[in-house]
Amino acid sequence: MDMAARFLVPLPTLMGLLIFLCVGPGAEGGKVLVVPMDGSHWLSMKEAVQELHARGHQMVVVSPELNMHIKEEDFFTLTTYASPYTQDEFNHLLLGQTYLIFERMHFLKMFLKAMESLKSAALVFQRSCEELLHNKELIRHLNASSFEVVLTDPVYPCGAVLAKYLSLPAVFFLRSIPCDLDVEGTQCPNPSSYIPRLFTMNSDHMTFLQRVKNMLYPLALKYICHISFTPYASLASELLQREVSMVDVFSFASVWLFRGEFVLDYPRPIMPNMVFSGGRNCGQRKPLSQLNGQVSK
Ligand SMILES: *[C@@H]1O[C@H](CO)[C@@H](O)[C@H](O)[C@H]1NC(C)=O
């Protein structure tokens, strides 16, 4: 099928559209609802929010009261809602297992511990999302605020569910979603024989055995994705009162902005609504300290 042909628009229509975009209400800047993922993800998204604000858009960020990095700034309005946990619980559930990184233990024990900590972190985000979506007053307020679009990081699928609930178009801003859920959401072809999978260290040229490895590796991750993402599908099903799958939630995006770059990633088939903007990943880097330099010598 010729993809290009489907996007050909008659010239007068195109001109009309351009004129509308220049003089229409769009030119005054839109109202954007931002549902960020906390942690390092927010550091990348914050820059996009700042840039959109600089271009005249009104930015409203929604976040639970207790969070890691999402603090008041002058380039957006912060709307918070009560966290369903105390500060102690938050610290314990989210950061309690960080010591694992420095521990030396048997691989299997490490794997089980990592699973456990992943599960408890996933639970924190899941409970936050429930708190937001079940907050009738806040939902009524957001619904009445006439937002034009939801900007969200789909690694935390709460924003996608909220966009669907409020019937607003969603723009996804992401590096990737584990388990190829982004690929399923965009419906890109994804042949195992040519596209190297996460952690396999394969390239896009694989021997037979490497291809077998490429097929087997994703299976282990599937379980993690299952426990971290299915609760959002249940939440969406409950709110929309019909059966919603995880892929339904992820395929809701109008535009996918990937913080990726084919200089770093192997080439793969993409869709017309996928835009790549490499170099935006945790843009606020700090120079390495002198100490780091000495240690590595
Ligand atoms: C948002 O408001 C519209 C119009 O008042 C209403 O039809 C819709 O049900 C509301 N949506 C939610 C999620 O409350």
Side-chain angles (χ1 to χ4, degrees), residues 218-248:
L219 297 180
L221 272 179
K222 276 274 178 221
Y223 169 70
I224 304 178
C225 288
H226 179 76
I227 54 169
S228 14
F229 289 127
T230 18
Y232 297 92
S234 318
L235 204 51
S237 306
E238 176 208 320
L239 293 171
L240 304 170
Q241 293 178 0
R242 61 186 160 83
E243 193 60 32
V244 178
S245 71
M246 216 45 247
V247 174
D248 290 336

Side-chain angles (χ1 to χ4, degrees), residues 139 143 165-166:
I139 292 293
N143 194 27
Y165 190 30
L166 298 178

Side-chain angles (χ1 to χ4, degrees), residues 20-89:
F20 171 77
L21 284 177
C22 295
V23 301
E28 288 159 21
K31 215 171 158 187
V32 184
L33 177 59
V34 184
V35 185
M37 167 71 182
D38 202 354
S40 60
H41 291 248
W42 166 242
L43 302 181
S44 303
M45 187 179 255
K46 198 162 82 169
E47 291 187 9
V49 170
Q50 189 165 17
E51 183 58 32
L52 285 166
H53 169 80
R55 295 185 185 193
H57 301 288
Q58 195 181 333
M59 312 302 290
V60 176
V61 176
V62 180
S63 149
E65 248 164 32
L66 289 177
N67 64 65
M68 285 186 271
H69 295 310
I70 306 167
K71 308 291 172 223
E72 206 101 40
E73 302 269 0
D74 56 7
F75 50 88
F76 61 80
T77 311
L78 183 61
T79 301
T80 58
Y81 55 93
S83 302
Y85 33 72
T86 63
Q87 182 78 56
D88 280 349
E89 282 175 299

Side-chain angles (χ1 to χ4, degrees), residues 70-207:
I70 306 167
K71 308 291 172 223
E72 206 101 40
E73 302 269 0
D74 56 7
F75 50 88
F76 61 80
T77 311
L78 183 61
T79 301
T80 58
Y81 55 93
S83 302
Y85 33 72
T86 63
Q87 182 78 56
D88 280 349
E89 282 175 299
F90 180 73
N91 293 351
H92 177 71
L93 288 172
L94 215 54
L95 312 168
Q97 314 286 336
T98 33
Y99 73 91
L100 279 178
I101 300 168
F102 305 105
E103 289 281 298
R104 290 196 170 273
M105 56 174 92
H106 188 267
F107 167 76
L108 199 62
K109 195 173 169 201
M110 183 66 148
F111 180 77
L112 292 176
K113 284 259 180 204
M115 279 297 164
E116 206 176 294
S117 83
L118 227 124
K119 259 192 205 170
S120 69
L123 195 66
V124 169
F125 289 105
Q126 183 195 322
R127 278 167 59 191
S128 283
C129 185
E130 280 167 11
E131 195 71 19
L132 165 64
L133 295 172
H134 287 151
N135 186 332
K136 291 215 167 62
E137 201 179 320
L138 180 57
I139 292 293
R140 207 177 302 125
H141 168 70
L142 295 176
N143 194 27
S145 303
S146 49
F147 287 104
E148 280 155 64
V149 70
V150 174
L151 176 69
T152 190
D153 188 330
V155 148
Y156 177 46
C158 200
V161 176
L162 179 63
K164 220 166 156 61
Y165 190 30
L166 298 178
S167 309
L168 289 170
V171 173
F172 285 178
F173 184 77
L174 71 158
R175 181 71 181 91
S176 67
I177 312 175
C179 303
D180 287 328
L181 283 164
D182 47 351
V183 182
E184 285 181 44
T186 49
Q187 299 188 334
C188 289
N190 193 27
S192 270
S193 308
Y194 298 100
I195 300 180
R197 301 292 187 236
L198 206 60
F199 304 134
T200 54
M201 310 293 253
N202 286 338
S203 79
D204 54 345
H205 293 278
M206 290 173 248
T207 62

